[in-house]
Amino acid sequence: MAKTATALPLEGIRVADFSWIINGPQIAQWLATMGAEVIKIESQVYLDIGRINPAGMADRVAGPNRNGYYHALNYGKKAITLNLATDKGRELADEIIRKSDLVLECFPTPAANKLGITYDRVRAVKPDIVMISVSLLGKTGLEPASWVGWGPMACSFVGMFDAQGYPGGPPRQTGGTWPDYAIASAVTFHVLAALRHRNRTGEGQWIDASMGETVIGQMPELYMDYFINGHDGGRRGNRDDAMAPHNTYPCAGDDKWIAIAVGTDSEWDALCRAMGNPAWCRDPKFADRYGRLSHRDELDAHLARWTRGHEHIALAHELQQAGVAAGPVLDSVEIHEDPHLWEWGFFRKIDHHEVGERILPNMPVRMSNVPELNYSMPPDLGQHNREIFGGLLGLSDAEIKILMEQKIIY
Amino acid sequence: MAIRALDDLVVVEFAQMVSGPMCGKMFADMGAEVVKIEPPCAGDEMRAHPPFPGDVPHPEKSGSFLYLNTSKKSLTLDPSTPTGAEVFRKLIAGADVLIENHQPEYLDSIGLGYEALKTINPKLIVTSISPFGQTGPYRNWKGTDLIEFAMSLTGYNTPTMVDDPERENPIRAPGHQAEMMGATAAAAATMFAIFHREATGVGQWIDAPCWQAIASTSKIEMAALTYARLPFSRMRGNVATGLEPLRCKDGYIYTLWAADTHYKALKALLHNPVEMESEVFDLLVGRQANDDVLRPMIRAELLKYDTEHLVSEGQRLGLTIGPVFTVAQAANHPHLRARNAFIEIDHPIAGRFQYPRSLVQMTATPPMPTRAPLLGEHNAEILSRLGYSLDEQQRMRAAGAI
């Protein structure tokens, strides 16, 4: 049956999702919002850290269905509980795999081996499966393939932290768990290519995704400079090869900043006008791009004295009006209040049965022909047990009851 | 020769610098024919950006350009001229996807916006990558990677573990990470649109902004505010949990010790120094409250050991611990070498050197980058295919349209 133009692109695709925490769930969230049926396989033996991390707990009242960390990464999915440490649990997992198009996991190698969630075993269960393994540094290779780690450690391993920091200072850490999200969108693209390949040829495959390799592929300037010239790093703060001023500058208030980037002479003129053309602006050494690049520290000092007296958000608007690339550094309150993000559709209000009205970020893309993606409510722990074990696997209520008592559906 | 998964797709890339070209590269390395439209004469602006061999600028030797444009074909064309627009429309008529990263409304202003292109090719997918998006009050703001990154919560939070927020201004991650996030999100959305088109027969317009893409990498930090009412601040975002490169004898290591079991393992790794034994430190709250005492203690102990020992022994003890490598250390690491994370590519002008191979590894249809095109290298091939005679091509060249 032909799908309607408003159908979601992945309707009819089923994902057996063994992943947890951030990177795997974010991949599955991409797939779920686009219409795939994602069956998230969890267990009370080891709850997803997203369900228990105190920093995301609604109103700091504990409960597995109350966590914002989990909600932000798991909407659009179905959730079942299955104890994979039992033979029967693994057998039921195989039944789900047999009825799925994709298998997703992000366990460290030893844990994946122990649970039997390896490509060799999964392929034996379903030969045309497309399986995605996400890990710190890949599942093949040498010793680091078995390391436990999390996103930022991948940055650390591949030179990103070493290249980050203030000139002359020590290496510093990139904010958040950026590589988890970076690998998620990269994997999503490649898994869809693999799925399309399977649809055309019947051949499945294994995507062995390494956060370290994704980060390498996303900092070509550094790697190419090493491969071409043998140059190795150096910490540069916000310095750029082609732009000056190019930095973040302090504004009025506590820990408030504005980012300003000037590329062309006309942008420089616009910035000078916005500052009221102070005398130092007319110093001939700042007249062209080369001069500005050569005297960037001096420029930064002048600019910082000026920005200090201004409110960061208002100043960014003023500078943009004047034709200068500028943006306020937003904290978490300010980003939630940003009018552009709301108007564009970045945030969504949800009304959750346990935690009430909350705000979650949507996926960061919009599509003209599928204006409404699947943003269904983040699932409660085991919410879809009956639907999946009874419906998909055809178990009777009595059988499900026994499996629950035996802590297999658990 | 491995199979190319997307070898039946034709993509037109009208884009420069990082975001659009990276998105196009992902399709090209998977086998799609990607026709890259470059401005006549200078080409993609990235051709002027370092690194260059020996630091000598040359339009065919920019390492950044060569990486971001692997496996593509280059057509020089100015679609803002009548002839250029005609060629552009002919290309679009036979294309599956257009990737562009111009300011919103620019394509409309030259008569080549989505609504106009849809009439030529209703199945076309237009992927527009921009700093802030096609709608909303900032849509016409000027954006650069620095601006987009700084405005995201990830930008506010970089570097983490700030000792002195007065002096330590937010800095962006090395490279162009906001633009890269915009590129990969756009590529993922474009693949979804291809599935949608194959099921329904219709194309669509994708709005993929870089700021929103990089902002969405701080989802859980955002949730802390709307769920636990914890405003995220640089000062107290992550305390007493490691989360910073720590100096050791011969370099730096990076570890996480948030859990109480991690702290135990860390003590064991450092041979249980007496000063770390106080039961005050046994629980996270105690470590957080006494961070000022504990952190210098751990810093001093770590200086006694080298990276390799700390990492292999720490991993054995169950710590999430790894080295802080330089690019050169990583590029030569036997593990990455064993995984063939790098590939050697020859280029007739720039020469032969290694490149990062792919964002992820696949067994049946691996991404396989081949060299970037010379400026206008495929003009004759593509124009002839579109039905332009050699005379017509000559006239276009003389008029500056190609």
Side-chain angles (χ1 to χ4, degrees):
Chain A
M1 193 175 74
K3 290 182 189 176
T4 65
T6 53
L8 289 169
L10 293 189
E11 273 174 26
I13 297 296
R14 183 176 295 130
V15 185
D17 174 16
F18 296 90
S19 74
W20 64 336
I21 312 181
I22 300 178
N23 55 34
Q26 175 72 6
I27 295 167
Q29 185 152 57
W30 270 105
L31 300 170
T33 53
M34 298 289 175
E37 181 189 29
V38 173
I39 303 172
K40 185 175 170 85
I41 298 155
E42 305 179 85
S43 172
Q44 298 188 56
V45 180
Y46 288 105
L47 282 179
D48 189 326
I49 288 169
R51 287 200 184 272
I52 52 182
N53 194 312
M57 211 57 95
D59 307 319
R60 303 182 213 179
V61 175
N65 306 323
R66 304 182 53 82
N67 208 305
Y69 285 15
Y70 185 90
H71 287 193
L73 287 158
N74 291 286
Y75 46 73
K77 303 178 189 173
K78 295 177 178 173
I80 63 169
T81 51
L82 185 60
N83 185 353
L84 297 175
T86 62
D87 290 343
K88 182 68 183 171
R90 284 194 300 276
E91 202 180 289
L92 290 167
D94 284 351
E95 284 300 312
I96 296 171
I97 290 169
R98 222 166 265 131
K99 292 173 189 292
S100 297
D101 302 281
L102 305 175
V103 166
L104 170 61
E105 65 90 13
C106 61
F107 296 114
T109 309
N113 291 342
K114 206 171 113 191
L115 298 172
I117 316 289
T118 62
Y119 181 55
D120 278 346
R121 232 191 57 79
V122 167
R123 173 169 57 171
V125 174
K126 180 119 194 316
D128 67 346
I129 203 81
V130 175
M131 175 158 168
I132 310 145
S133 296
V134 192
S135 61
L136 183 70
L137 294 164
K139 286 238 153 104
T140 63
L142 308 179
E143 187 203 331
S146 62
W147 284 359
V148 289
W150 64 312
M153 245 177 82
C155 295
S156 168
F157 191 92
V158 302
M160 180 178 262
F161 290 177
D162 181 73
Q164 176 159 286
Y166 306 98
R172 302 295 290 264
Q173 185 190 336
T174 311
T177 51
W178 168 80
D180 288 273
Y181 300 94
I183 200 168
S185 46
V187 163
T188 302
F189 168 82
H190 290 97
V191 75
L192 292 172
L195 196 57
R196 198 164 170 273
H197 174 72
R198 188 214 59 176
N199 291 348
R200 293 202 293 172
T201 66
E203 182 185 29
Q205 64 180 307
W206 185 34
I207 298 179
D208 176 16
S210 145
M211 282 193 281
E213 283 162 25
T214 303
V215 176
I216 288 171
Q218 296 193 187
M219 4 182 249
E221 303 88 341
L222 294 150
Y223 274 84
M224 296 306 283
D225 200 18
Y226 173 70
F227 287 135
I228 295 173
N229 290 315
H231 293 164
D232 187 16
R235 291 180 271 279
R236 313 178 64 206
N238 283 318
R239 287 179 184 175
D240 187 79
D241 290 319
M243 287 185 267
H246 187 271
N247 210 340
T248 56
Y249 302 92
C251 289
D254 179 24
D255 202 20
K256 300 293 177 199
W257 306 85
I258 187 168
I260 299 173
V262 173
T264 63
D265 288 345
S266 66
E267 286 169 340
W268 169 246
D269 292 340
L271 176 62
C272 292
R273 277 195 303 279
M275 290 189 290
N277 286 310
W280 64 265
C281 270
R282 287 189 295 276
D283 192 322
K285 67 186 169 194
F286 301 140
D288 61 22
R289 179 191 286 213
Y290 178 77
R292 290 190 294 274
L293 282 167
S294 315
H295 299 92
R296 54 180 131 209
D297 292 343
E298 209 179 320
L299 268 180
D300 280 351
H302 280 300
L303 266 178
R305 271 193 292 278
W306 177 69
T307 56
R308 174 74 73 188
H310 293 78
E311 197 275 322
H312 63 312
I313 297 175
L315 182 59
H317 281 264
E318 244 173 73
L319 289 177
Q320 286 282 357
Q321 280 297 318
V324 179
V329 179
L330 301 172
D331 66 22
S332 62
V333 174
E334 290 159 351
I335 208 163
H336 276 102
E337 288 170 350
D338 185 87
H340 179 86
L341 289 178
W342 279 101
E343 193 174 321
W344 184 82
F346 183 75
F347 288 117
R348 147 174 318 254
K349 278 189 178 138
I350 67 157
D351 190 6
H352 183 268
H353 71 99
E354 271 198 48
V355 303
E357 192 173 277
R358 304 284 163 167
I359 294 165
L360 291 175
N362 284 338
M363 302 310 283
V365 293
R366 296 188 60 85
M367 303 169 79
S368 64
N369 250 333
V370 274
E372 196 51 24
L373 303 179
N374 172 21
Y375 289 120
S376 66
M377 213 50 81
D380 288 353
L381 185 65
Q383 183 183 332
H384 300 90
N385 279 346
R386 227 155 262 284
E387 177 183 332
I388 300 301
F389 292 114
L392 183 68
L393 300 191
L395 301 182
S396 67
D397 283 356
E399 285 170 304
I400 291 173
K401 189 161 173 275
I402 294 167
L403 289 167
M404 288 175 88
E405 282 162 8
Q406 292 172 334
K407 295 199 170 176
I408 288 161
I409 295 178
Y410 178 74
Chain B
M1 188 97 169
I3 301 154
R4 320 293 301 269
L6 303 181
D7 62 6
D8 60 332
L9 293 179
V10 175
V11 176
V12 175
E13 176 193 303
F14 183 33
Q16 297 206 55
M17 291 297 288
V18 178
S19 62
M22 183 66 187
C23 183
K25 168 188 166 66
M26 292 169 72
F27 280 89
D29 290 350
M30 292 297 289
E33 180 183 76
V34 176
V35 177
K36 180 181 178 71
I37 293 175
E38 298 196 66
C41 304
D44 185 337
E45 253 182 78
M46 189 54 102
R47 290 182 180 270
H49 280 252
F52 296 102
D55 297 324
V56 181
H58 183 292
E60 300 294 356
K61 295 184 181 179
S62 158
S64 300
F65 176 86
L66 294 176
Y67 171 82
L68 288 164
N69 295 283
T70 50
S71 317
K72 299 179 191 172
K73 293 181 173 175
S74 168
L75 169 68
T76 53
L77 189 71
D78 180 358
S80 71
T81 65
T83 313
E86 182 196 292
V87 176
F88 187 86
R89 278 191 285 264
K90 282 192 181 177
L91 261 180
I92 287 301
D96 298 287
V97 176
L98 167 68
I99 297 167
E100 65 95 11
N101 67 352
H102 294 271
Q103 281 292 118
E105 294 159 25
Y106 172 74
L107 286 184
D108 265 336
S109 77
I110 58 169
L112 299 171
Y114 176 67
E115 292 303 322
L117 297 180
K118 191 167 76 168
T119 63
I120 305 169
N121 179 354
K123 294 172 105 174
L124 182 73
I125 295 158
V126 174
T127 302
S128 292
I129 311 177
S130 61
F132 299 101
Q134 304 295 318
T135 61
Y138 309 164
R139 71 183 179 282
N140 291 318
W141 274 25
K142 287 186 174 183
T144 72
D145 185 72
L146 172 77
I147 308 291
E148 295 143 21
F149 190 82
M151 288 175 71
S152 74
L153 207 48
T154 300
Y156 175 60
N157 187 19
T158 301
T160 51
M161 289 310 299
V162 175
D163 291 322
D164 180 358
E166 270 296 294
R167 281 182 40 246
E168 297 177 330
N169 59 319
I171 53 179
R172 70 168 170 163
H176 295 83
Q177 301 316 328
E179 301 270 317
M180 286 288 181
M181 276 304 299
T184 55
T190 306
M191 279 303 298
F192 284 121
I194 288 167
F195 270 76
H196 185 264
R197 190 188 68 167
E198 284 171 357
T200 64
V202 296
Q204 60 189 309
W205 189 18
I206 294 169
D207 179 6
C210 297
W211 178 37
Q212 281 85 325
I214 194 73
S216 72
T217 68
S218 279
K219 283 176 142 183
I220 61 175
E221 289 83 352
M222 287 181 199
L225 179 77
T226 68
Y227 279 69
R229 315 286 179 209
L230 289 170
F232 181 82
S233 119
R234 292 212 295 161
M235 280 300 285
R236 54 157 202 216
N238 304 295
V239 175
T241 51
L243 287 175
E244 62 176 343
L246 295 162
R247 200 169 188 62
C248 57
K249 204 186 217 169
D250 60 342
Y252 288 85
I253 53 105
Y254 177 77
T255 181
L256 171 74
W257 31 287
D260 300 336
T261 51
H262 288 153
Y263 183 70
K264 244 186 212 169
L266 181 68
K267 275 197 298 188
L269 177 62
L270 301 173
H271 300 100
N272 298 304
V274 184
E275 310 85 65
M276 286 176 69
E277 286 291 358
S278 163
E279 60 191 36
V280 171
F281 304 137
D282 283 354
L283 297 176
L284 179 64
V285 282
R287 295 195 295 280
Q288 279 174 331
N290 296 285
D291 189 54
D292 292 355
V293 189
L294 186 59
R295 191 171 291 272
M297 240 183 246
I298 292 171
R299 281 177 173 159
E301 286 299 319
L302 286 168
L303 290 172
K304 296 176 185 166
Y305 304 96
D306 63 32
T307 317
E308 205 180 317
H309 167 79
L310 289 170
V311 170
S312 59
E313 191 58 17
Q315 280 285 340
R316 203 184 56 76
L317 289 162
L319 268 179
T320 51
I321 183 168
V324 179
F325 278 151
T326 67
V327 163
Q329 284 175 308
N332 295 300
H333 196 280
H335 171 69
L336 291 173
R337 291 284 154 190
R339 281 177 56 82
N340 297 314
F342 307 103
I343 187 173
E344 199 163 82
I345 299 176
D346 197 13
H347 182 277
I349 295 177
R352 173 184 286 273
F353 31 75
Q354 296 179 67
Y355 293 59
R357 186 159 70 120
S358 58
L359 296 177
V360 304
Q361 303 214 10
M362 308 169 75
T363 54
T365 61
M368 288 190 298
T370 57
R371 77 165 172 87
L374 306 177
L375 181 60
E377 184 176 347
H378 302 89
N379 284 3
E381 175 192 327
I382 291 160
L383 293 172
S384 302
R385 198 170 71 201
L386 295 177
Y388 292 99
S389 68
L390 292 178
D391 278 357
E392 286 170 308
Q393 292 178 34
Q394 190 56 44
R395 278 198 295 278
M396 284 182 196
R397 204 167 295 121
I402 61 169

